[in-house]
Amino acid sequence: IRSWTLEEKEFAASLADLVSAKYEALERDYSEKELNKARLRAEESDRLKTSLLANMSHELRTPMNSILGFSELMLNDSDDPEVIFYTKKIHGAGKRLMNTLQAILELADLEATRSKLILREVDLMKALTKILAPFQALASEKGLYLVTEFAQRIHVLADENLLKLVFQNLIDNAIKFTESGGITIETAQKEKDKTVWALLQIKDTGIGIASDDFERIFQEFRQASEGYNRRFEGTGLGLTLSSKMIRIMGGDITVESELGLGTIFSVWLPLVSVSARKKDRAVSVDEGNGLPPVVKVQKPPALPLILVVEDNDDNAEIVKLYLKSKYRIDRAPDGYTALQMADQKQYKAILLDINLGTGKDGLKIATELRVKKSYTKTPVIALTGYTMSEDKEKIMEAGCTHYIAKPFTKSELVGVLASALT
């Protein structure tokens, strides 16, 4: 090389630079291809996971709707103490399984939920009041008190649906781990880290938690009591979900406890200004002219006609039994029949399963119903085992006006239907 001319050395250097640049380009190209492959693999993995969870949800919720539905009807209709005893056991086991499934699906769906968070001003007292009734009954069954101390009307910035799930988890835990005494739910405004927060505290007189377990109880599938000899049922997901939900809403959950002396869970939420209360307006009553009213005897109006589109015989029968005293029911076992029946009769509302086996699914049926002039404004209520956030979005976009996840109770179905027809 020392004998090379200047021109030869410059040529060699240029050639080396060219080779080096070409190598770097090939390396970048290879890296980009590998990154692209990795992205495609991740997207495929996410798609398969979403599909698996959606199918698992549907396949478990559909039979659970029959188990919980028929057992609820038996509890309400039977006078035989032995039948009631066994039916309560069936219903309780079904609800436990359903709660486990719900917790797993919520955890899997939480990342998707993060991007679709709807933060609004929420009245904390109203949100709590809406969910308290069943817990008051549950506490009463155990001989516990459940009291609320709302010092003032506090409004927070939160997603109300997630907020209710958090409250349900925390109150359910408080009742589960308390054998005597009770639970107190308090709200207040309190300063923390130089910021004023809305504070919700759920205080119980239960078994308490050792300080060494404070971190563990917020981990997935973990409980303070674990192993084959654990004392309490559950997946260990409730506090994990609650903590993650509160944090994606900009808040925090903290715990204070001593073994044998009870536990306090504190939920810190972003505070917003209290909305101005609307003054109650006096309603004037027309007393009439003093004459006795004229009473006209009329035939009772015909019950509203409802179409139930459901391929599962058991689930269709449950809907009929739930609604038999309030509505007339027609049933279509598949999408093709449903569209034919909708052409022949005018239904007040349509209860629509989404997975209808072979043929058209519920999404296509909802879309085609909306094309018909007589059904542009008819309530179409989805009754489905598909409960992931993306599923609900697709269902509503297809033309459904309401959404009920399986398994559902009689009161839930009756309530949604009544609301849809008002």
Side-chain angles (χ1 to χ4, degrees), residues 247-406:
R247 288 198 171 108
I248 66 174
M249 290 188 282
D252 193 19
I253 292 183
T254 57
V255 60
E256 305 166 57
S257 185
E258 286 188 45
L259 283 174
L261 296 178
T263 302
I264 302 172
F265 279 100
S266 298
V267 180
W268 305 81
L269 291 161
L271 180 71
V272 295
S273 59
V274 179
S275 298
R277 297 180 184 177
K278 293 182 180 180
K279 294 182 179 180
D280 294 331
R281 290 182 293 176
V283 179
S284 61
V285 179
D286 185 2
E287 299 293 341
N289 54 14
L291 297 175
V294 177
V295 178
K296 294 181 180 179
V297 178
Q298 297 179 336
K299 289 182 180 179
L303 296 176
L305 182 61
I306 305 295
L307 177 61
V308 177
V309 187
E310 172 64 74
D311 65 323
N312 184 285
D313 293 340
D314 290 342
N315 285 334
E317 187 62 27
I318 286 169
V319 172
K320 286 183 179 181
L321 292 169
Y322 279 172
L323 302 177
K324 63 182 180 181
S325 62
K326 296 179 180 293
Y327 303 94
R328 290 177 293 144
I329 305 293
D330 282 350
R331 186 241 177 148
D334 56 66
Y336 177 75
T337 306
L339 292 171
Q340 279 191 322
M341 293 174 72
D343 285 334
Q344 294 163 5
K345 295 181 183 179
Q346 182 62 45
Y347 293 97
K348 290 290 185 182
I350 295 175
L351 303 179
L352 180 63
D353 185 25
I354 300 303
N355 188 325
L356 294 169
T358 56
K360 295 181 178 181
D361 60 30
L363 298 180
K364 290 179 181 175
I365 301 304
T367 302
E368 291 189 32
L369 281 170
R370 291 304 179 206
V371 176
K372 299 178 185 293
K373 289 183 180 179
S374 56
Y375 284 97
T376 55
K377 295 183 179 179
T378 302
V380 178
I381 302 169
L383 304 179
T384 180
Y386 292 112
T387 60
M388 304 296 283
S389 56
E390 289 182 2
D391 295 325
K392 186 174 180 180
E393 231 174 59
K394 289 177 184 176
I395 288 167
M396 301 306 284
E397 286 174 359
C400 292
T401 55
H402 300 74
Y403 171 98
I404 301 177
K406 294 176 180 176

Side-chain angles (χ1 to χ4, degrees), residues 57-119:
S57 175
H58 174 266
E59 291 303 318
L60 289 173
R61 285 176 180 277
T62 298
M64 284 307 302
N65 196 55
S66 297
I67 293 167
L68 294 178
F70 283 122
S71 59
E72 181 186 3
L73 289 166
M74 288 172 68
L75 283 172
N76 292 335
D77 295 343
S78 178
D79 295 323
D80 186 328
E82 193 172 9
V83 171
I84 292 173
F85 175 80
Y86 290 131
T87 306
K88 276 186 176 179
K89 295 292 184 184
I90 294 169
H91 197 74
K95 287 179 72 175
R96 179 185 171 190
L97 179 59
M98 197 61 246
N99 289 339
T100 300
L101 170 66
Q102 186 66 30
I104 292 169
L105 291 176
E106 283 169 3
L107 182 62
D109 203 31
L110 197 55
E111 285 306 312
T113 304
R114 183 192 299 269
S115 62
K116 296 163 188 169
L117 206 62
I118 302 173
L119 296 177

